[in-house]
């Protein structure tokens, strides 16, 4: 009896191993999709932190490069295209202490992305995503800004990837 149970369990495990999983989340037919291009993402927010544009752009391109087999080209007529703008970069108080001063501050970054699918236009989409990080108000923004922009950009890129190439 134990032997039959063990054999059944092994058969189930082998059967599960034969199922194809895509751990990177990309849901693309590489027979149809070969190329991707990226426009610049200018900062259109009221507050501007110039390094943010390059940090965000690099992260987006790196994730697409690492998680797909698409070739990046400099051509707006590529199979897929990402363009848009950084629309939000703001600070807001989140918690007030006994002395009526903020004890926590939130940095929020928002991005508008136009995802263009030149192979299947029905999959093209306009996406607005935002993410934030809180930091202690006794820290100067200049001391935490680079790290926060890196973290928030990573989250934004994950959201964008999942809503476009991840086909969520």
């Amino acid at each position: 009896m134990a032997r039959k149970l063990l054999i059944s369990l092994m058969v189930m495990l082998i059967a599960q191993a034969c199922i194809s999983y895509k751990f990177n989340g990309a849901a693309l037919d590489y027979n149809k999709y070969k190329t991707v291009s990226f426009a610049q993402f200018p900062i259109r927010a009221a507050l501007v932190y110039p390094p943010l544009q390059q940090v965000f752009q690099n992260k987006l391109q790196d994730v697409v490069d690492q998680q797909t087999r698409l070739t990046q080209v400099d051509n707006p007529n590529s199979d897929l295209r990402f363009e848009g703008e950084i629309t939000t970069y703001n600070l807001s108080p989140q918690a007030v202490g006994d002395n009526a001063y903020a004890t926590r501050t939130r940095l929020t970054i928002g991005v508008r992305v136009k995802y263009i699918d030149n192979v299947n236009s029905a999959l093209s989409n306009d996406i607005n995503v935002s993410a934030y990080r809180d930091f202690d108000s006794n820290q100067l923004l200049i001391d935490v800004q680079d790290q926060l922009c890196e973290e928030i950009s990573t989250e934004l890129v994950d959201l964008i990837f999942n809503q476009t190439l991840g086909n969520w």
Side-chain angles (χ1 to χ4, degrees):
M1 183 71 168
R3 186 178 182 124
K4 284 185 180 181
L5 181 60
L6 182 60
I7 291 172
S8 296
L9 183 59
M10 288 176 58
V11 168
M12 287 175 33
L13 288 173
I14 291 170
Q16 277 189 324
C18 293
I19 297 171
S20 174
Y21 291 100
K22 293 181 181 177
F23 291 108
N24 65 9
L28 291 172
D29 179 354
Y30 291 108
N31 294 319
K32 295 179 183 177
Y33 296 96
K34 308 258 188 249
T35 61
V36 63
S37 63
F38 300 87
Q40 295 295 313
F41 280 75
I43 301 173
R44 304 271 191 245
L47 281 175
V48 175
Y49 180 57
L52 174 61
Q53 187 273 332
Q54 197 63 46
V55 168
F56 172 79
Q57 184 96 20
N58 288 344
K59 284 191 177 292
L60 181 60
Q61 290 175 328
D62 288 348
V63 164
V64 171
D65 189 44
Q66 293 166 2
Q67 296 191 23
T68 72
R69 290 183 280 159
L70 297 171
T71 302
Q72 290 187 31
V73 295
D74 190 18
N75 181 348
N77 296 319
S78 58
D79 297 331
L80 299 170
R81 180 159 176 84
F82 290 88
E83 53 187 54
E85 60 193 3
I86 297 168
T87 58
T88 307
Y89 186 90
N90 67 29
L91 297 165
S92 57
Q94 294 302 303
V96 179
D98 294 337
N99 57 5
Y101 289 107
T103 58
R104 302 285 297 162
T105 301
R106 176 169 292 171
L107 173 61
T108 303
I109 299 174
V111 179
R112 183 190 67 79
V113 177
K114 185 172 183 180
Y115 173 70
I116 303 166
D117 187 324
N118 287 317
V119 174
N120 182 356
S121 61
L123 297 176
S124 294
N125 200 0
D126 283 326
I127 301 164
N128 288 295
V129 293
S130 66
Y132 64 86
R133 291 291 184 277
D134 292 345
F135 62 98
D136 198 297
S137 293
N138 66 11
Q139 294 177 295
L140 295 175
L141 177 62
I142 195 165
D143 293 334
V144 296
Q145 192 165 221
D146 288 336
Q147 178 185 345
L148 295 176
C149 287
E150 288 277 339
E151 292 173 9
I152 295 170
S153 291
T154 298
E155 185 175 340
L156 292 169
V157 166
D158 286 345
L159 291 168
I160 293 164
F161 186 88
N162 288 339
Q163 291 182 41
T164 56
L165 299 173
N167 208 11
W168 291 85

